[in-house]
Amino acid sequence: MSEKKSKKTSRRKFLSDLGLLGASSVAGGLALYAGNRFESEKKKSKKILALTSEYKVIQVEEEAASSIAKSEQEMTDLTKRGRVGLNGRRWVMVIDLSKCRNARKCMDACQAAHRLHPDQHHINVLQMKDTENTASYFMPKPCQHCDNPPCTAVCPVDATFKRQDGIVLIDNERCIGCRFCIAACPYSARVFQWGEPNNRAEDKDMEYDIEQNVPQKKGTISKCVFSADLLREGELPSCVSACPNGVYYFGDENEDAVTNGTTKETVKLSKLLKDSGAYTLKEELGTKPRVYYLPAKNRLFDFDENKDNHKV
Amino acid sequence: MRILFTLLTLSLSLISLAEGWTVPEDKKEKNAHFKFDKTSEESGKELYYKNCFSCHGDVGKNNYVKLNPDPGDLSTSEVAKQTDGELYYKLKKGKGLMPSFENSISSDDRWKIIAYIRTFHIGYSQIVELKDETISKDQIALKITKLEGDKFQVTATKELNGKTVKVKSVELELYVKRYFGQLLVDESKATNSEGKAIFSIEKNIPANQEGKITLIAKALNYENLKALQEFEYGFKNIQPPLNQERALWNTVDKAPIWLILGFSFGLLAIGAFIGFILLQLKNLRKQK
Amino acid sequence: MENLNREKIISDLSSHINLNKKFLGWMGLLTILLLICLGAYYQQLTQGLQVTGLNDYVSWGIYLSNFVFFVAASLIGMLMSSVLILSGQHWAKPISRIAEVIAVAFSAIAGLVIVSDMGMPQRLHHVILYGRIQSPILWDITVVNAYLLFSLLLFYVPLIPDLHILSGRFSGKLQILNKIFKVGSLGYQGTEKQKKTIARLTRLLSYGILPLAFGIHTVTSWIFASTTRSGWHSTIFGPYFISGAFVAGVAAVVIVMTVVRKTHKLDQYLKDSHYDKLGKLLLVVSMLYIYFNINEYLVPLYGNKKADAHHLHELFAGKHAFMFWFTQIGCLLIPALLMFFKRFRKIKPLFLISIFVIVGAWLKRYLIVIPTQEHPYLPIQNVTEKALNYQITLEEALVSIAPIILVIMIISVLLKFFPVVPIEESLEEVENHAKN
């Protein structure tokens, strides 16, 4: 009897020990995990940069390291290089509002390049009217690729992030679709794939290219990425080269040069900004946009507020 | 208010009168690299009415706006006696109330406006930097060399009977290569009788990561004639990556230290607290 | 004499632990309703969030306001069982378990509400794998889960003596409860030392839950306040939310308490005096909430910045005016004023008023979450009609009702199988009474 009882108690003790161990290890593990996370993250990113032909050796190492490393390893090469970005570049866009006639070629080109529905906009030409007595003007509005981006600040999973060349990207293989970034963006620059995206038939087997954000994925965020895939090839973003009116300039701030997408003329960025009274959108919010606007002055065409100037 | 305005305009006109409008000698001799013809005059007229008409009025009609100093009518002998180079310089740089058109009107268009104005100047004959039509572009070689300070020299030569001969009147533009295109440095220049044209490039022009710039010389009056050369020059503009700093907006491995500490401490405190309570509960049965 | 009394109390307070048809029928009904709602969620899973009225501008709808409401309601556990008890308000003791059950149910389901809002719920584990500690969402997840654990403990620890008392008292189908209660009581025998430990742990938990409870709702408010949008970007959002949570929580307690009092026949234990005290409590927290409301709306009215002015106009006289004034006056100001009069602090009137208060609390969260998104800084153009007007769809409504059903189920089960009014404490009170 007593033996039975002691057995019982010892078993019970074991069970309660186990429960206690489980519960406290979950709590403690969480805490330790957070602490260790940053160190391992650092090591990891170094490893990924070192990845070359000795792929195999490192792979084994990573697998042994932790489960986080394992999932990190699932990143494709396209995503890896997309997350790193172009070294030594600082992309910048200049939009000359005095030239915008609302041709909307930028919107069309963008929607084609990024497989967007007609009502989804990475770049949207807005008709602005600042006060009752001032004139209307057209304002193309892409993502501002802020240097102090409010959207990436709130992302819970590093799905949206800023790279070294200034582009704010979105990883739709990471995104959980919480839409906090939409709420945080003061420029309404982000769209969500509420239903099936407008992918093409041939995109189906395509490997996900984070720099183009194609194929788009239902349930994730999509946004302007400055056509990062084209920049890598030395080409201008699709909206910039599509413009028939010379509205857009795009270039590298480090080179102090921007190239007009229509005329292909390259001008000095600093001089252009200085001479034309450039400004940034809602700079009082402290977002530090990488998109500059030149004011809508001395327009060389008639502006009809009521006409939808779709055609040039 | 009115007095102030009058004083202001008066002083402005005095300044301009006192200083005159002198054009540097070398700029005076600049000439267009194409012959003014009907087409250039036509487009010059269009450009004139867009950019100049608002002050200068119709040429020859003396209906210019009465400003101080007078913009004047452009058909007068005062204007006619100036060289093309002088008019080009003034149009480009502007002075006082006359704005600079350096950015808003391209070099060719400036010449076209002059072509239009010249149609009102009786007895004008254009001096044009005409190329030597006997030479084809394949025979010419362009070479870019670096001189003292911020000067770069482009030499145009051709091989003639085994000897190298200089080519003059090659209208050249010098560009520096940028990621998406080519940035014009300095203005276009024609080679002199020595076959040389000298350009200056600002010293702090951003170079690439190795501190080098790539220069491209292009001949305007010989199609597809160009030269490309890399130089160690300019300002090695190495800026830190834009995602370097620890910040709230950056990725998790670049979170601010205070946040990492705070978050970890919070988690540890919660874990420890719960662990302590569970331990106490476990020991409950022993407390008889 | 004392023994008899003791037996009566125990049987009174445990008689509701049974499996009667009413309860089974109730749970069956809830299950059916839940299944219908889950059908709507299945639609959302397969077709994407397009089945909701959400769009790229109003991208957070009633799922989010539901979440805020859940977090708010869960806060009552802290107020009743921590603040009141620690400050010596012993009248709250019989209600503390109801409050704790509400806290457990709402905080357990709050996480699910957020999951229902996610575009990619299958990637929930990304939050652990790639969690970005700068995001208020991560803090929220951490704190909500911690609060759930603490609430569970605060529910469980004071329950241990009751489990000990009740184990062995069941027969028939409920025999299994004997064993469960026995294991659950962790070897508690009612020794002095054990009593002291339980009291000490309860007190410790009551202290420990304070910062967490403030944290959970403050961080939830930061999800909005940390953006730059007008109507959200406010420094008083933390205390504003917390005071609002108290109002909603007191109303929730009154409602649950009144229902349980009737179904579990606890008239003798949940008395008029409790309602009187709760009415006064409702008055106090409502006054606090009204104070924060005045701050929240009056200050930007003076500044009158473009975006703020537009936001306030929409609330005061625009699209949302009716809902706004109904919530502010009908569900907050008038209930608070009525609480000045003793005759409204009775069971029936207070129950009715609480229903108004809780409906108003839900609508208030709608008014906090949605209108702000309808007027971003830049104009909304070149979009479809749907993006100009947020309309709740049927699927969306059903998916929002599902978590409410789940909460009711959890509350029903917990209050069915565990004593609603703490037995041990009631016994002690009687004993103390007898001694004096």
Side-chain angles (χ1 to χ4, degrees), chain C residues 179-199:
Chain C
K179 202 154 196 190
I180 295 173
F181 281 17
K182 175 110 182 138
V183 174
S185 63
L186 296 177
Y188 180 86
Q189 299 290 338
T191 65
E192 277 309 306
K193 222 173 168 188
Q194 285 175 329
K195 274 185 184 172
K196 260 187 191 159
T197 307
I198 293 291

Side-chain angles (χ1 to χ4, degrees), chain C residues 376-407:
Chain C
Y377 285 114
L378 298 174
I380 303 175
Q381 291 176 5
N382 311 322
V383 290
T384 53
E385 198 58 36
K386 193 187 176 191
L388 296 173
N389 217 340
Y390 169 63
Q391 293 283 0
I392 301 166
T393 62
L394 178 69
E395 285 93 339
E396 198 177 359
L398 289 176
V399 174
S400 299
I401 291 169
I404 297 176
I405 296 175
L406 274 171
V407 162

Side-chain angles (χ1 to χ4, degrees), chain A residues 125-143:
Chain A
V125 180
L126 301 174
Q127 183 171 334
M128 303 291 288
K129 195 167 165 67
D130 294 340
T131 73
E132 220 159 273
N133 297 324
T134 51
S136 290
Y137 58 93
F138 291 118
M139 186 181 81
K141 181 221 61 187
C143 167

Side-chain angles (χ1 to χ4, degrees), chain A residues 94-108:
Chain A
V94 183
I95 300 179
D96 188 348
L97 298 179
S98 68
K99 292 184 192 150
C100 181
R101 298 166 179 241
N102 196 20
R104 303 204 166 183
K105 296 282 184 257
C106 51
M107 290 163 70
D108 296 343

Side-chain angles (χ1 to χ4, degrees), chain A residues 12 17 20 23 27 30-31 34-35 37-38 41-42 86 88-91 147-149 152-153 158 161-166 231-232 234-236 250-251 254-257 259 266-268 271 275 290, chain B residues 50 102-103 177-184 202 204-207 209 237-243 245-246 248-253 255 260 263-264 267-268 270-272 274-275 278-279 282 285-286:
Chain A
R12 204 180 288 145
D17 274 355
L20 184 63
L30 261 172
R37 185 65 208 282
F38 310 100
E41 195 82 22
K42 257 185 224 161
L86 275 82
R89 303 284 168 192
R90 288 182 164 200
W91 305 120
D147 280 350
N148 182 16
T152 70
D158 266 342
F161 56 92
K162 189 177 182 68
R163 355 186 266 191
Q164 57 170 329
D165 53 4
L231 300 184
R232 191 177 284 281
E235 286 174 43
L236 291 165
F250 194 88
N254 285 344
E255 283 187 345
D256 193 22
T259 302
T266 302
V267 296
K268 250 182 99 169
K271 192 165 161 48
D275 291 351
R290 296 204 73 72
Chain B
K50 231 177 227 175
E102 195 165 357
N103 294 308
K177 200 168 176 301
R178 304 278 78 156
Y179 194 77
F180 294 106
Q182 295 155 4
L183 177 69
L184 184 68
E202 54 171 321
N204 61 354
I205 192 158
Q209 307 283 313
N237 190 11
I238 296 181
Q239 298 292 333
L242 281 164
N243 58 355
E245 58 175 311
R246 285 191 175 276
L248 284 174
W249 53 262
N250 217 327
T251 48
V252 68
D253 51 321
I260 298 174
F263 194 81
S264 311
L267 277 187
L268 274 173
I270 292 168
I274 290 177
L278 291 179
L279 202 72
K282 187 188 159 242
R285 72 174 67 248
K286 289 180 195 158

Side-chain angles (χ1 to χ4, degrees), chain C residues 190-365:
Chain C
T191 65
E192 277 309 306
K193 222 173 168 188
Q194 285 175 329
K195 274 185 184 172
K196 260 187 191 159
T197 307
I198 293 291
R200 191 165 52 98
L201 290 184
T202 307
R203 208 167 52 243
L204 202 61
L205 277 167
S206 299
Y207 282 118
I209 206 165
L210 274 176
L212 271 184
F214 275 89
I216 171 178
H217 215 32
T218 305
V219 169
T220 302
S221 81
W222 286 353
I223 286 187
F224 304 98
S226 63
T227 68
T228 54
R229 310 287 280 265
S230 63
W232 285 356
H233 190 48
S234 158
T235 52
I236 65 158
F237 243 42
Y240 174 52
F241 270 43
I242 287 176
S243 58
F246 289 158
V247 177
V250 173
V253 164
V254 169
I255 291 169
V256 173
M257 184 171 137
T258 310
V259 172
V260 166
R261 185 174 178 274
K262 187 122 181 127
T263 57
H264 293 15
K265 301 192 179 63
L266 293 167
D267 320 28
Q268 288 178 28
Y269 297 88
L270 302 172
K271 288 176 273 195
D272 265 348
S273 64
H274 289 119
Y275 282 86
D276 187 57
K277 288 268 174 35
L278 279 174
K280 284 176 181 162
L281 185 62
L282 183 63
L283 174 62
V284 172
V285 292
S286 294
M287 285 300 166
L288 186 67
Y289 193 40
I290 290 169
Y291 162 73
F292 275 114
N293 267 288
I294 293 172
N295 269 279
E296 182 59 22
Y297 294 118
L298 196 62
V299 173
L301 195 63
Y302 270 92
N304 215 28
K305 286 188 284 188
K306 196 170 157 188
D308 287 344
H310 188 72
H311 177 63
L312 292 179
H313 178 264
E314 285 297 304
L315 291 182
F316 294 168
K319 198 172 158 187
H320 304 286
F322 177 75
M323 197 194 279
F324 180 78
W325 293 116
F326 174 71
T327 332
Q328 296 293 81
I329 295 179
C331 306
L332 181 59
L333 190 64
I334 292 178
L337 290 178
L338 291 181
M339 284 306 107
F340 276 111
F341 306 100
K342 193 165 172 98
R343 80 174 101 145
F344 290 105
R345 299 199 297 265
K346 304 274 185 215
I347 299 173
K348 262 187 193 162
L350 189 54
F351 179 69
L352 272 177
I353 289 167
S354 291
I355 287 177
F356 266 86
V357 171
I358 204 123
V359 167
W362 196 92
L363 292 176
K364 175 77 180 177
R365 269 80 194 159

Side-chain angles (χ1 to χ4, degrees), chain C residues 14 17 156 159-160 162-170 175-188 416-419:
Chain C
S14 63
I17 307 181
Y156 176 60
L159 189 67
I160 290 174
D162 289 7
L163 294 179
H164 166 66
I165 290 170
L166 291 180
S167 81
R169 281 177 179 266
F170 301 104
Q175 246 175 344
I176 182 133
L177 281 182
N178 288 333
K179 202 154 196 190
I180 295 173
F181 281 17
K182 175 110 182 138
V183 174
S185 63
L186 296 177
Y188 180 86
K416 186 73 191 168
F417 294 107
F418 297 104

